[in-house]
């Protein structure tokens, strides 16, 4: 399966008639492996800051998580494994695998829990595959 298929079929899937606003699979070095057409243009330093938070959990909390120029308030995640952010009625979930970051961005009516499930399920699968 191509990386684009993972984004199209596993991340941008419908749950109860709703789906993520945007999604991507990005290598730890910031290269885009695949993304939805709606995924924001981001800066390399934004990915670097996210990777730093995975290495040293809590570094993003004081400044917020920035992606594509949007600032998310960092909320509870799993140190070293998952970062979750909130902005208004939407938010972001980022799951770190051995080689990539799985990123899902949601807006209402999709819930934070649904976003977490979509992103983390694919991330867990890729980790099981050694990716």
């Amino acid at each position: 399966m191509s990386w684009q298929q993972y984004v199209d079929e596993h991340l941008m899937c419908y749950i109860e008639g709703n789906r993520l606003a945007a999604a991507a699979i990005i290598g730890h070095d910031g290269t885009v492996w695949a993304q939805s057409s709606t995924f924001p243009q981001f800066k390399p330093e934004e990915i670097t800051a996210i990777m730093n938070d995975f290495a040293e959990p809590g570094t993003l909390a004081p400044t917020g998580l920035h992606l594509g120029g949007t600032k998310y308030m960092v909320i509870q995640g799993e140190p070293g494994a998952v970062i979750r952010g909130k902005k208004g009625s939407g938010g972001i979930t980022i799951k770190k695998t051995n080689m990539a970051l799985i990123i899902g961005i949601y807006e209402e009516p999709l819930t934070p829990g649904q976003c977490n499930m979509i992103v983390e399920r694919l991330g867990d699968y890729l980790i099981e595959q050694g990716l």
Side-chain angles (χ1 to χ4, degrees):
M1 187 178 289
S2 75
W3 291 113
Q4 192 61 50
Q5 280 180 290
Y6 280 112
V7 170
D8 296 343
E9 297 172 15
H10 295 279
L11 293 176
M12 296 302 289
C13 60
Y14 283 91
I15 292 187
E16 297 171 17
N18 303 306
R19 67 180 194 164
L20 294 174
I25 301 174
I26 299 173
H28 289 179
D29 62 356
T31 48
V32 176
W33 293 7
Q35 65 184 18
S36 66
S37 60
T38 52
F39 198 77
Q41 187 68 40
F42 60 87
K43 298 183 182 119
E45 56 267 25
E46 292 173 329
I47 300 300
T48 301
I50 290 166
M51 288 302 295
N52 289 344
D53 192 81
F54 278 118
E56 295 177 44
T59 57
L60 285 178
T63 59
L65 183 161
H66 293 82
L67 187 72
T70 300
K71 179 180 177 180
Y72 298 90
M73 180 179 69
V74 178
I75 55 176
Q76 142 279 333
E78 296 169 33
V82 179
I83 298 171
R84 298 185 184 107
K86 186 101 175 96
K87 178 178 174 48
S89 61
I92 188 168
T93 301
I94 305 171
K95 170 79 175 179
K96 180 177 180 269
T97 72
N98 300 333
M99 299 168 61
L101 300 173
I102 314 301
I103 303 174
I105 299 172
Y106 71 93
E107 296 292 337
E108 281 187 338
L110 200 74
T111 67
Q114 288 170 321
C115 179
N116 295 342
M117 185 182 73
I118 293 167
V119 171
E120 294 174 39
R121 188 170 51 193
L122 179 60
D124 289 341
Y125 170 77
L126 294 175
I127 289 169
E128 287 170 16
Q129 302 306 306
L131 303 166

